[in-house]
Amino acid sequence: MRAFDYEALPGRVIFGSGASRERLGDELDRLNAQRVMVFATDRELALAEELVAPFRDRVALVYGNVLPHVPAEVATDARAAAREHTVDALLSIGGGSTTGTAKIVALTTALPVVAVPTTYAGSEMTPVWGMTTDARKETGIDRKVLPVSVVYDPELVQTLPRELAVSSALNAMAHCVEALWTPKANPVTSLQALDGAAALARGLRATDSSTSCSELLYGAYLAGAAFAVAGSGLHHKICHALGGGFNLPHAETHAVVLPHVLAFNESSEAISDEMTRLAEALSGSSASQALASLYDEVGAPRALSQVGLKEEHLEEAADIVVAKLPIDNPRQVDRARIEDILRNAYEGIL
Ligand code: NAD
């Protein structure tokens, strides 16, 4: 057994079908929250109103100005709204963009966040915040933004269109895979990552919707938990550069980039044991073969050119990633490698 450090993160997790309708009020009671700021996009607004109906008198405002990658202007506006309404708790109902907006308010107010995720992005498990200023995404780590309670309800992800569910689940898969090779990975995060990857693969292959949603949401929880402690590496740095710099869709970008970073890292001796265990978790002869089969089966997105990147952006994208070098990675990374990964991901050629 290798030596390791493990800094476990706090937080309550409630998982179950119907939990968002039955348990949310109790979570706010635990915080003694009387003036709650609810975050939801227009799309999630009706759902949010339904979930908060039993404690509507404790909702100070419903904030709907949620945009991908949390633009700095949105952060300023949301913080001003929280001050103006003297809120005492933040309740996010939605995907990673919604959770991210609640987190950016928590960063400066230290208000507690309760999160009800409706995608598989996993932000609700992490102390990571993100904000985009002038097309550059900045991220940071602060315990203040880590939700105190997370209510996972598989019924809420039933409405995800299949294409988005696939991409979002592969975004979670990317958390699992990268959590296996970061410097902060430890045996516990690896267990979570491997079990998460297996649950995500089962969920993606399941034909029954309720089984699929449960497995995917459970896998997304484990993925977020592993990623929260193990941290991010080359894969996430490339995706952040693409998301923040060119406004590409988050989940699809992760789904496209993952097989390319995996193909690059897989041959590293330093992670051979982890890659063998990942291949087993995904039921394949090698990790990348297993992932490729899964991608074929579920019709995953394959090329950055199909998700909005223009060829003339490749050089600028490489510049943004290169500016983050040196990147801790099982194999040494330089500009040429980054350019190869971006070009291959752009064309969808493995
Ligand atoms: P998103 O929150 O932008 O949601 C994508 C789309 O799906 C939106 O149009 C949304 O309205 C819709 N949607 C959400 N739930 C739905 C449902 N149940 N049914 C139907 N439609 C639904 O995207 P995302 O992929 O969830 O999150 C991406 C954002 O999260 C990015 O900004 C990313 O950086 C951030 N993120 C942060 C962390 C972190 O640790 N800080 C981790 C993962 C992701």
Side-chain angles (χ1 to χ4, degrees):
M1 173 63 72
R2 282 184 221 155
F4 65 90
D5 292 5
Y6 175 28
E7 195 174 344
L9 290 168
R12 275 166 62 75
V13 170
I14 290 154
F15 187 103
S17 261
S20 65
R21 287 175 174 83
E22 290 153 19
R23 309 279 301 273
L24 211 42
D26 293 348
E27 291 312 297
L28 295 173
D29 286 347
R30 292 172 70 91
L31 297 172
N32 194 22
Q34 301 301 327
R35 295 191 58 76
V36 181
M37 179 169 179
V38 179
F39 296 77
T41 63
D42 286 349
R43 207 218 135 267
E44 274 80 55
L45 192 59
L47 170 70
E49 285 293 355
E50 186 195 332
L51 297 187
V52 304
F55 47 87
R56 194 67 181 81
D57 54 331
R58 289 198 273 157
V59 173
L61 85 150
V62 178
Y63 187 81
N65 185 17
V66 169
L67 291 171
H69 307 301
V70 195
E73 306 73 49
V74 171
T76 306
D77 183 62
R79 287 165 177 166
R83 266 195 312 275
E84 189 186 323
H85 292 266
T86 56
V87 306
D88 60 8
L90 310 170
L91 169 60
S92 153
I93 300 173
S97 300
T98 313
T99 314
T101 311
K103 282 173 151 187
I104 213 72
V105 175
L107 183 65
T108 50
T109 60
L111 290 168
V113 179
V114 174
V116 184
T118 63
T119 68
Y120 307 121
S123 173
E124 66 283 350
M125 291 311 296
T126 83
V128 180
W129 55 267
M131 187 168 72
T132 306
T133 312
D134 298 332
R136 288 291 175 275
K137 188 159 183 177
E138 176 197 1
T139 59
I141 299 177
D142 195 311
R143 287 275 182 106
K144 288 199 290 290
V145 309
L146 179 70
V148 293
S149 291
V150 180
V151 178
Y152 284 108
D153 184 344
E155 285 178 11
L156 303 190
V157 288
Q158 297 238 2
T159 50
L160 278 170
R162 175 69 182 168
E163 273 186 20
L164 183 52
V166 167
S167 299
S168 193
L170 294 173
N171 177 195
M173 184 69 83
H175 298 333
C176 293
V177 174
E178 187 133 278
L180 293 171
W181 62 49
T182 62
K184 286 197 278 176
N186 67 53
V188 181
T189 53
S190 294
L191 274 180
Q192 291 173 321
L194 291 164
D195 204 33
L200 291 166
R202 283 195 304 271
L204 281 166
R205 289 181 168 125
T207 47
D208 164 66
S209 159
S210 146
T211 308
S212 172
C213 290
S214 280
E215 292 277 21
L216 290 176
L217 199 58
Y218 179 62
Y221 155 49
L222 291 179
F227 168 61
V229 172
S232 67
L234 178 62
H235 169 85
H236 282 77
K237 290 198 164 46
I238 291 174
C239 292
H240 280 177
L242 293 168
F246 310 100
N247 210 20
L248 298 193
H250 177 82
E252 291 85 340
T253 304
H254 275 270
V256 170
V257 172
L258 177 62
H260 298 276
V261 181
L262 177 63
F264 173 57
N265 277 346
E266 191 177 25
S267 60
S268 163
E269 266 302 307
I271 55 166
S272 60
D273 181 39
E274 286 80 0
M275 291 300 102
T276 304
R277 292 166 74 197
L278 180 60
E280 280 164 17
L282 298 178
S283 319
S285 55
S286 73
S288 50
Q289 176 277 322
L291 197 66
S293 308
L294 187 61
Y295 271 52
D296 283 344
E297 280 173 58
V298 301
R302 294 298 194 137
L304 290 174
S305 59
Q306 292 164 346
V307 302
L309 192 73
K310 303 246 180 331
E311 191 165 12
E312 61 264 29
H313 289 150
L314 283 173
E315 198 176 333
E316 191 186 341
D319 290 342
I320 305 173
V321 185
V322 167
K324 297 172 199 251
L325 288 173
I327 296 172
D328 258 321
N329 192 59
R331 288 184 65 192
Q332 208 179 340
V333 201
D334 55 18
R335 181 170 188 110
R337 292 299 188 187
I338 291 166
E339 282 178 350
D340 280 352
I341 290 172
L342 283 169
R343 164 66 59 184
N344 291 340
Y346 174 77
E347 290 175 3
I349 301 169
L350 263 171

